[in-house]
Amino acid sequence: MTMKRIVIFTGGELFPEFLEALHKDDMIIAADRGALFLIEHGITPDIAVGDFDSITEEEQQLVREKSGRMIVVDPVLKDWTDTEMAFETALDHEPAHILMLGATGTRMDHTLANVHIMVRAMQRHISCSLQDKNNLMMLTTSEAVVEDHGYEYVSLLPLTPEVTGINLEGFQYPLQEATLRMGQSLGISNKLLGKSGTVSIDSGLLLIIQSKD
């Protein structure tokens, strides 16, 4: 049976309000310092994974005691970031959806890498979104419903050289059979007219970003 949703708390920038996104039946996977964040807020991660080089030995012991399962890897020999390890662990459980929290921040390399790993979920037919205090991101290769989650803007960015056949319904600036190419800003700062809108495309990979200042 397919698990409904897995929520990943990364070792990046995390805030207490992120806990409000949790549902009762979510599986929770924590990457490195994300496990300590959860435990400090009274939440037990189902799985904690990483090299845990960002927390003390005493904090590591706390994570070991308070997590359902702890997977520790060598910080030198590992090939993946802690977030990627958590993501691969989530994929192994084949959920319907993966939500990543705190996967953006001051390290642009990590931020872009975390946006790109969402592609791997799509290849497995698993929907995925990435959320922080100011942004909610998801990908589509066909059609996506964009719901009003309190963000002011909706922007569209191609993650392939071009995205064709773009149609928007329920947006302030509609598009019909439009094409977006990398480097173009046509899809920036649109707005929903109501509670939801629909984005559909014919080809390519489209990044949908809901954002606020």
Side-chain angles (χ1 to χ4, degrees):
M1 188 170 100
T2 300
M3 185 178 301
K4 184 177 180 181
R5 190 174 80 153
I6 291 179
V7 180
I8 297 174
F9 284 78
T10 74
E13 198 172 28
L14 296 171
F15 302 91
E17 52 262 44
F18 287 174
L19 301 175
E20 299 172 6
L22 288 174
H23 300 161
K24 185 177 180 180
D25 56 350
D26 286 337
M27 181 178 184
I28 304 172
I29 298 178
D32 197 77
R33 194 170 185 83
L36 183 63
F37 168 85
L38 288 168
I39 291 165
E40 289 177 340
H41 289 84
I43 304 294
T44 298
D46 294 289
I47 301 174
V49 60
D51 55 29
F52 298 98
D53 61 352
S54 64
I55 61 177
T56 67
E57 290 186 9
E58 291 78 11
E59 290 169 336
Q60 286 186 41
Q61 184 58 34
L62 179 64
V63 169
R64 190 179 305 276
E65 293 172 357
K66 298 292 186 179
S67 300
R69 179 185 173 201
M70 186 174 181
I71 304 172
V72 182
V73 296
D74 188 285
V76 177
L77 299 179
K78 71 175 185 178
D79 293 322
W80 293 341
T81 65
D82 292 328
T83 298
E84 189 174 9
M85 284 187 287
F87 192 79
E88 286 295 324
T89 302
L91 290 179
D92 288 342
H93 286 80
E94 298 184 345
H97 184 76
I98 297 173
L99 170 62
M100 291 194 291
L101 296 170
T104 63
T106 56
R107 285 285 300 270
M108 186 57 66
D109 51 350
H110 282 271
T111 296
L112 289 177
N114 292 337
V115 170
H116 288 170
I117 64 174
M118 290 195 291
V119 176
R120 298 224 293 271
M122 294 201 67
Q123 292 168 341
R124 298 272 290 271
H125 306 290
I126 298 170
S127 66
C128 183
S129 56
L130 189 157
Q131 185 173 4
D132 60 26
K133 288 186 74 172
N134 296 86
N135 305 277
L136 176 61
M137 298 175 244
M138 61 180 176
L139 300 176
T140 187
T141 57
S142 54
E143 182 174 295
V145 176
V146 180
E147 298 180 348
D148 183 0
H149 292 287
Y151 298 92
E152 185 175 3
Y153 305 107
V154 180
S155 293
L156 310 177
L157 292 171
L159 285 190
T160 46
E162 69 176 22
V163 176
T164 67
I166 303 170
N167 291 283
L168 301 183
E169 294 182 8
F171 289 85
Q172 182 174 346
Y173 306 109
L175 290 175
Q176 279 194 314
E177 297 300 320
T179 295
L180 275 178
R181 296 180 176 86
M182 281 188 169
Q184 292 181 324
S185 60
L186 176 65
I188 299 296
S189 298
N190 210 329
K191 293 186 178 183
L192 288 170
L193 291 175
K195 293 297 183 182
S196 67
T198 302
V199 179
S200 62
I201 67 174
D202 287 339
S203 69
L205 180 59
L206 187 67
L207 176 64
I208 303 170
I209 304 176
Q210 294 179 254
S211 61
K212 59 185 177 183
D213 294 322

